[in-house]
């Protein structure tokens, strides 16, 4: 009898007292915490383990060497914090059903994400132009010398000396089988022009070979190498003007690897955040209060992106 | 207090509609200003330039700097999590969800630390060999490595 009576107690609701989407976002952020902690933790451990022969920490931290600019990192921190604030304002506006205000602040957040990536692109350009790239940094004097040789070799290849020499040989055959004197004279003129160019470039190639042999034999000092490369650059500015001896950076490659890994994945997250905000903004006039939960979850994601940068800034730019 | 507060904040059912947000009484602008101030503090620590110095004649400047800027970063992170991410007003599920995550996240760094971060043995790396005794012009290495391929000499 009692079993047939309806219960007066409310039905038991399973799970956490938050929407499913919010729970899913927090679970996702949990995996993201592990993802970035792995990178940051590994960076710290590698940095602590990078010592010189005397056991002193030798991680590259001089801004003139690493081309890390505190002002750029600080500015990006400000940009992300401001964008986080704008997301909160947008979320609040959604709660108040003030859709135009929410849209405005979401658009501002999107714009700040663009600014962040712009500053990051400027920083990356600085690294690229100075050759601060994983696997490209010379860590010893010997590696620096060989790097110069490789750059000079590329300059020689770019001059097209081999192709010109091959063409001169081919022209000799073509001349022999030319149909008439006019064609033969034309080929001879081309041959003469090429020979003149080869003669002009020959000293450059000879000097390159001399430098290369000396570097490989280990019989040239760095000061002498710098002097000879400088002179080559002055004599052949179009070919070797951009070739310079770069001082070795101890642990420069692992520095570049960890720098690009951490900031690169963070930038990727910023890009994903822009897509998330782009979806809301694309609703245009259709945006309504029903999107409140979406904006809240987007905000949680964006705050997490901010959170990661809050730790990356001191670890990469200041310490 | 926080739980009671959130009770009204919670949606009526899973996947429920939008909830009230500004019931927390948080002045988000103040939080933003505090975050900016803390960022400025980090930059000031950088400008002071403690690296390689002795702070108060005793402490290693680099370690002091790392400690200070990470303390500031932690304070900023707590501000963002507590107010912007509303964790201050969420119920106890936040501990259930975040504690295992953070413990697991520490696993990899802690596993790497003994072998890479604070190893007791000496490693033989070309970088260290170079620092210990750079190659000199008078004493070239006996076997030069093969050089890059170049154009054949005519």
């Amino acid at each position: 009898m009692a079993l047939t009576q309806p219960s007066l107690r409310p039905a038991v609701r399973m799970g956490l007292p938050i929407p499913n989407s919010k729970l899913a976002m927090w679970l996702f952020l949990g995996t993201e915490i592990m993802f970035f902690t792995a990178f940051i933790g590994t960076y710290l451990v590698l940095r602590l383990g990078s010592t010189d022969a005397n056991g002193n920490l030798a991680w590259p931290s001089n801004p003139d060497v690493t081309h890390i600019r505190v002002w750029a990192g600080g500015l990006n921190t400000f940009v992300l914090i401001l964008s986080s604030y704008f997301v909160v304002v947008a979320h609040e506006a959604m709660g108040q059903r003030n859709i135009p205000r929410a849209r405005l602040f979401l658009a501002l957040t999107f714009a700040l994400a663009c600014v962040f990536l712009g500053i990051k692109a400027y920083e990356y350009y600085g690294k690229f132009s100075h050759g601060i790239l994983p696997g490209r940094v010379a860590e010893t004097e010997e590696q620096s010398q060989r790097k110069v040789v490789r750059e000079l070799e590329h300059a020689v290849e770019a001059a097209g000396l081999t192709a010109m020499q091959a063409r001169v040989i081919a022209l000799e055959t073509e001349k022999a089988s030319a149909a008439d004197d006019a064609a033969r004279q034309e080929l001879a003129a081309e041959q003469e022009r090429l020979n003149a160019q080869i003669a002009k470039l020959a000293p450059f190639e000879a000097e390159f070979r001399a430098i290369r042999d000396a570097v490989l034999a280990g019989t040239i000092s760095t000061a002498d190498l710098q002097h000879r490369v400088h002179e080559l650059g002055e004599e052949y500015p179009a070919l070797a003007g951009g070739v310079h001896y770069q001082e070795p950076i101890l642990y420069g490659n692992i520095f570049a690897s960890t720098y690009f890994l951490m900031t690169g994945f963070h930038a990727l997250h910023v890009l994903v955040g822009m897509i998330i905000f782009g979806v809301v903004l694309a609703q245009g006039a259709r945006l309504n209060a029903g999107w409140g939960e979406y904006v809240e979850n987007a905000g949680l994601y964006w705050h997490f992106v901010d959170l990661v940068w809050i730790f990356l800034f001191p670890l990469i730019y200041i310490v | 207090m926080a739980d009671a507060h959130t009770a009204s904040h919670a949606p009526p059912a899973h996947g429920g509609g939008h909830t009230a947000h500004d019931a927390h009484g948080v002045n988000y602008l103040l939080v933003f200003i505090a975050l900016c101030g803390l960022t400025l503090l980090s930059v000031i620590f950088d400008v002071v330039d403690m690296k390689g110095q002795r702070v108060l004649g005793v402490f290693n400047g680099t370690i002091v700097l790392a400690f200070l800027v990470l303390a500031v970063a932690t304070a900023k992170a707590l501000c963002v999590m507590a107010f912007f991410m509303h964790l201050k007003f969420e119920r106890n599920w936040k501990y259930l969800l975040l504690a295992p995550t953070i413990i697991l996240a520490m696993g990899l760094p802690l596993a790497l630390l003994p072998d890479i971060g604070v190893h007791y043995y000496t490693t033989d790396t070309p970088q260290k060999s170079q620092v210990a005794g750079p190659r000199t012009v008078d004493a070239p290495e006996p076997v030069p490595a093969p050089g890059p391929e170049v154009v054949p000499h005519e």
Side-chain angles (χ1 to χ4, degrees), chain A residues 5 13 16 35 39 58 67 145 149 183 189 194 226 229 253 299 304-305 308:
Chain A
Q5 287 181 344
R13 194 172 65 79
L16 300 174
F35 182 77
F39 289 157
H67 300 280
Q145 289 194 355
V149 169
L194 286 173
Q226 283 177 302
V229 169
N253 289 298
F304 176 78
V305 171
V308 172

PDB file of all heavy atoms in Angstrom, chain A residues 5 13 16 35 39 58 67 145 149 183 189 194 226 229 253 299 304-305 308:
ATOM      1  N   GLN A   5       2.030   4.895  -2.865  1.00  0.00           N
ATOM      2  CA  GLN A   5       1.892   6.328  -2.617  1.00  0.00           C
ATOM      3  C   GLN A   5       3.060   7.092  -3.244  1.00  0.00           C
ATOM      4  O   GLN A   5       4.209   6.691  -3.123  1.00  0.00           O
ATOM      5  CB  GLN A   5       1.877   6.603  -1.106  1.00  0.00           C
ATOM      6  CG  GLN A   5       0.577   6.178  -0.471  1.00  0.00           C
ATOM      7  CD  GLN A   5       0.561   6.478   1.013  1.00  0.00           C
ATOM      8  OE1 GLN A   5       1.591   6.717   1.614  1.00  0.00           O
ATOM      9  NE2 GLN A   5      -0.633   6.455   1.582  1.00  0.00           N
ATOM     10  N   ARG A  13      18.803  14.182  -7.666  1.00  0.00           N
ATOM     11  CA  ARG A  13      19.502  14.533  -8.905  1.00  0.00           C
ATOM     12  C   ARG A  13      20.966  14.122  -8.769  1.00  0.00           C
ATOM     13  O   ARG A  13      21.635  14.491  -7.806  1.00  0.00           O
ATOM     14  CB  ARG A  13      19.403  16.031  -9.166  1.00  0.00           C
ATOM     15  CG  ARG A  13      19.793  16.418 -10.578  1.00  0.00           C
ATOM     16  CD  ARG A  13      19.482  17.875 -10.820  1.00  0.00           C
ATOM     17  NE  ARG A  13      20.291  18.752  -9.993  1.00  0.00           N
ATOM     18  CZ  ARG A  13      21.562  19.066 -10.266  1.00  0.00           C
ATOM     19  NH1 ARG A  13      22.154  18.574 -11.317  1.00  0.00           N
ATOM     20  NH2 ARG A  13      22.233  19.875  -9.467  1.00  0.00           N
ATOM     21  N   LEU A  16      27.065  16.803 -10.310  1.00  0.00           N
ATOM     22  CA  LEU A  16      27.467  18.046  -9.656  1.00  0.00           C
ATOM     23  C   LEU A  16      26.445  19.144  -9.924  1.00  0.00           C
ATOM     24  O   LEU A  16      25.740  19.105 -10.935  1.00  0.00           O
ATOM     25  CB  LEU A  16      28.842  18.476 -10.177  1.00  0.00           C
ATOM     26  CG  LEU A  16      29.972  17.473  -9.936  1.00  0.00           C
ATOM     27  CD1 LEU A  16      31.254  17.932 -10.605  1.00  0.00           C
ATOM     28  CD2 LEU A  16      30.209  17.295  -8.446  1.00  0.00           C
ATOM     29  N   PHE A  35      48.747  19.176 -19.312  1.00  0.00           N
ATOM     30  CA  PHE A  35      49.452  19.421 -20.574  1.00  0.00           C
ATOM     31  C   PHE A  35      50.509  20.507 -20.396  1.00  0.00           C
ATOM     32  O   PHE A  35      51.687  20.314 -20.707  1.00  0.00           O
ATOM     33  CB  PHE A  35      48.403  19.840 -21.612  1.00  0.00           C
ATOM     34  CG  PHE A  35      48.932  20.090 -22.998  1.00  0.00           C
ATOM     35  CD1 PHE A  35      49.244  19.036 -23.837  1.00  0.00           C
ATOM     36  CD2 PHE A  35      49.079  21.384 -23.479  1.00  0.00           C
ATOM     37  CE1 PHE A  35      49.706  19.264 -25.118  1.00  0.00           C
ATOM     38  CE2 PHE A  35      49.545  21.623 -24.758  1.00  0.00           C
ATOM     39  CZ  PHE A  35      49.860  20.561 -25.577  1.00  0.00           C
ATOM     40  N   PHE A  39      55.021  20.747 -19.854  1.00  0.00           N
ATOM     41  CA  PHE A  39      55.962  21.604 -20.588  1.00  0.00           C
ATOM     42  C   PHE A  39      56.752  22.500 -19.635  1.00  0.00           C
ATOM     43  O   PHE A  39      57.977  22.585 -19.717  1.00  0.00           O
ATOM     44  CB  PHE A  39      55.218  22.499 -21.586  1.00  0.00           C
ATOM     45  CG  PHE A  39      54.656  21.748 -22.757  1.00  0.00           C
ATOM     46  CD1 PHE A  39      53.596  22.258 -23.486  1.00  0.00           C
ATOM     47  CD2 PHE A  39      55.185  20.532 -23.148  1.00  0.00           C
ATOM     48  CE1 PHE A  39      53.077  21.569 -24.565  1.00  0.00           C
ATOM     49  CE2 PHE A  39      54.685  19.833 -24.221  1.00  0.00           C
ATOM     50  CZ  PHE A  39      53.624  20.360 -24.930  1.00  0.00           C
ATOM     51  N   ALA A  58      74.085  27.580 -16.597  1.00  0.00           N
ATOM     52  CA  ALA A  58      74.564  28.218 -17.833  1.00  0.00           C
ATOM     53  C   ALA A  58      73.440  28.426 -18.837  1.00  0.00           C
ATOM     54  O   ALA A  58      73.691  28.613 -20.024  1.00  0.00           O
ATOM     55  CB  ALA A  58      75.664  27.358 -18.447  1.00  0.00           C
ATOM     56  N   HIS A  67      67.445  37.500 -27.202  1.00  0.00           N
ATOM     57  CA  HIS A  67      66.501  38.414 -27.855  1.00  0.00           C
ATOM     58  C   HIS A  67      65.093  38.297 -27.253  1.00  0.00           C
ATOM     59  O   HIS A  67      64.092  38.409 -27.944  1.00  0.00           O
ATOM     60  CB  HIS A  67      66.476  38.195 -29.367  1.00  0.00           C
ATOM     61  CG  HIS A  67      67.816  38.421 -29.980  1.00  0.00           C
ATOM     62  ND1 HIS A  67      68.311  39.668 -30.254  1.00  0.00           N
ATOM     63  CD2 HIS A  67      68.790  37.556 -30.316  1.00  0.00           C
ATOM     64  CE1 HIS A  67      69.536  39.555 -30.745  1.00  0.00           C
ATOM     65  NE2 HIS A  67      69.852  38.293 -30.797  1.00  0.00           N
ATOM     66  N   GLN A 145      82.086  28.603 -36.038  1.00  0.00           N
ATOM     67  CA  GLN A 145      82.949  28.721 -37.222  1.00  0.00           C
ATOM     68  C   GLN A 145      82.352  27.933 -38.393  1.00  0.00           C
ATOM     69  O   GLN A 145      82.313  28.405 -39.523  1.00  0.00           O
ATOM     70  CB  GLN A 145      84.351  28.198 -36.893  1.00  0.00           C
ATOM     71  CG  GLN A 145      85.126  29.112 -35.951  1.00  0.00           C
ATOM     72  CD  GLN A 145      86.611  28.778 -35.912  1.00  0.00           C
ATOM     73  OE1 GLN A 145      87.057  27.813 -36.514  1.00  0.00           O
ATOM     74  NE2 GLN A 145      87.378  29.589 -35.201  1.00  0.00           N
ATOM     75  N   VAL A 149      80.909  28.891 -42.288  1.00  0.00           N
ATOM     76  CA  VAL A 149      81.294  28.182 -43.523  1.00  0.00           C
ATOM     77  C   VAL A 149      80.048  27.755 -44.298  1.00  0.00           C
ATOM     78  O   VAL A 149      79.975  27.907 -45.520  1.00  0.00           O
ATOM     79  CB  VAL A 149      82.179  26.950 -43.182  1.00  0.00           C
ATOM     80  CG1 VAL A 149      82.363  26.067 -44.410  1.00  0.00           C
ATOM     81  CG2 VAL A 149      83.522  27.414 -42.662  1.00  0.00           C
ATOM     82  N   ALA A 183      75.032  32.659 -85.450  1.00  0.00           N
ATOM     83  CA  ALA A 183      74.662  31.901 -84.242  1.00  0.00           C
ATOM     84  C   ALA A 183      75.903  31.610 -83.417  1.00  0.00           C
ATOM     85  O   ALA A 183      75.882  31.686 -82.175  1.00  0.00           O
ATOM     86  CB  ALA A 183      73.974  30.598 -84.642  1.00  0.00           C
ATOM     87  N   ALA A 189      79.569  35.197 -77.653  1.00  0.00           N
ATOM     88  CA  ALA A 189      79.352  36.392 -76.817  1.00  0.00           C
ATOM     89  C   ALA A 189      78.820  35.996 -75.451  1.00  0.00           C
ATOM     90  O   ALA A 189      79.241  36.538 -74.410  1.00  0.00           O
ATOM     91  CB  ALA A 189      78.373  37.324 -77.524  1.00  0.00           C
ATOM     92  N   LEU A 194      79.722  35.057 -69.643  1.00  0.00           N
ATOM     93  CA  LEU A 194      79.740  34.136 -68.500  1.00  0.00           C
ATOM     94  C   LEU A 194      81.138  34.001 -67.923  1.00  0.00           C
ATOM     95  O   LEU A 194      81.326  33.967 -66.702  1.00  0.00           O
ATOM     96  CB  LEU A 194      79.216  32.749 -68.931  1.00  0.00           C
ATOM     97  CG  LEU A 194      77.708  32.640 -69.147  1.00  0.00           C
ATOM     98  CD1 LEU A 194      77.341  31.288 -69.731  1.00  0.00           C
ATOM     99  CD2 LEU A 194      76.965  32.854 -67.836  1.00  0.00           C
ATOM    100  N   GLN A 226      86.513  36.175 -38.367  1.00  0.00           N
ATOM    101  CA  GLN A 226      85.593  37.326 -38.393  1.00  0.00           C
ATOM    102  C   GLN A 226      86.109  38.401 -39.343  1.00  0.00           C
ATOM    103  O   GLN A 226      85.344  38.975 -40.107  1.00  0.00           O
ATOM    104  CB  GLN A 226      85.442  37.902 -36.978  1.00  0.00           C
ATOM    105  CG  GLN A 226      84.535  37.076 -36.094  1.00  0.00           C
ATOM    106  CD  GLN A 226      84.477  37.634 -34.685  1.00  0.00           C
ATOM    107  OE1 GLN A 226      85.504  37.751 -34.017  1.00  0.00           O
ATOM    108  NE2 GLN A 226      83.296  37.974 -34.224  1.00  0.00           N
ATOM    109  N   VAL A 229      85.721  37.178 -43.029  1.00  0.00           N
ATOM    110  CA  VAL A 229      84.303  37.173 -43.437  1.00  0.00           C
ATOM    111  C   VAL A 229      83.816  38.611 -43.626  1.00  0.00           C
ATOM    112  O   VAL A 229      83.074  38.909 -44.571  1.00  0.00           O
ATOM    113  CB  VAL A 229      83.436  36.426 -42.385  1.00  0.00           C
ATOM    114  CG1 VAL A 229      81.955  36.646 -42.636  1.00  0.00           C
ATOM    115  CG2 VAL A 229      83.753  34.949 -42.406  1.00  0.00           C
ATOM    116  N   ASN A 253      70.146  25.671 -28.140  1.00  0.00           N
ATOM    117  CA  ASN A 253      69.154  24.863 -28.860  1.00  0.00           C
ATOM    118  C   ASN A 253      68.031  24.378 -27.955  1.00  0.00           C
ATOM    119  O   ASN A 253      66.863  24.434 -28.332  1.00  0.00           O
ATOM    120  CB  ASN A 253      69.845  23.668 -29.530  1.00  0.00           C
ATOM    121  CG  ASN A 253      70.697  24.114 -30.687  1.00  0.00           C
ATOM    122  OD1 ASN A 253      70.200  24.673 -31.649  1.00  0.00           O
ATOM    123  ND2 ASN A 253      72.002  23.913 -30.574  1.00  0.00           N
ATOM    124  N   GLY A 299      34.639  31.861 -21.544  1.00  0.00           N
ATOM    125  CA  GLY A 299      35.382  32.688 -20.587  1.00  0.00           C
ATOM    126  C   GLY A 299      36.307  31.844 -19.732  1.00  0.00           C
ATOM    127  O   GLY A 299      37.462  32.207 -19.510  1.00  0.00           O
ATOM    128  N   PHE A 304      41.864  30.475 -18.523  1.00  0.00           N
ATOM    129  CA  PHE A 304      42.927  29.479 -18.389  1.00  0.00           C
ATOM    130  C   PHE A 304      44.120  29.855 -19.273  1.00  0.00           C
ATOM    131  O   PHE A 304      45.282  29.737 -18.861  1.00  0.00           O
ATOM    132  CB  PHE A 304      42.416  28.080 -18.761  1.00  0.00           C
ATOM    133  CG  PHE A 304      43.512  27.051 -18.730  1.00  0.00           C
ATOM    134  CD1 PHE A 304      43.953  26.528 -17.523  1.00  0.00           C
ATOM    135  CD2 PHE A 304      44.132  26.640 -19.898  1.00  0.00           C
ATOM    136  CE1 PHE A 304      44.989  25.615 -17.486  1.00  0.00           C
ATOM    137  CE2 PHE A 304      45.174  25.728 -19.867  1.00  0.00           C
ATOM    138  CZ  PHE A 304      45.599  25.203 -18.659  1.00  0.00           C
ATOM    139  N   VAL A 305      43.825  30.319 -20.492  1.00  0.00           N
ATOM    140  CA  VAL A 305      44.891  30.761 -21.398  1.00  0.00           C
ATOM    141  C   VAL A 305      45.674  31.898 -20.750  1.00  0.00           C
ATOM    142  O   VAL A 305      46.906  31.950 -20.808  1.00  0.00           O
ATOM    143  CB  VAL A 305      44.295  31.191 -22.763  1.00  0.00           C
ATOM    144  CG1 VAL A 305      45.355  31.855 -23.644  1.00  0.00           C
ATOM    145  CG2 VAL A 305      43.707  29.993 -23.486  1.00  0.00           C
ATOM    146  N   VAL A 308      47.945  30.498 -17.922  1.00  0.00           N
ATOM    147  CA  VAL A 308      49.195  29.887 -18.411  1.00  0.00           C
ATOM    148  C   VAL A 308      50.222  30.979 -18.692  1.00  0.00           C
ATOM    149  O   VAL A 308      51.388  30.876 -18.299  1.00  0.00           O
ATOM    150  CB  VAL A 308      48.940  29.046 -19.677  1.00  0.00           C
ATOM    151  CG1 VAL A 308      50.259  28.586 -20.296  1.00  0.00           C
ATOM    152  CG2 VAL A 308      48.078  27.834 -19.352  1.00  0.00           C
TER     153      VAL A 308
END
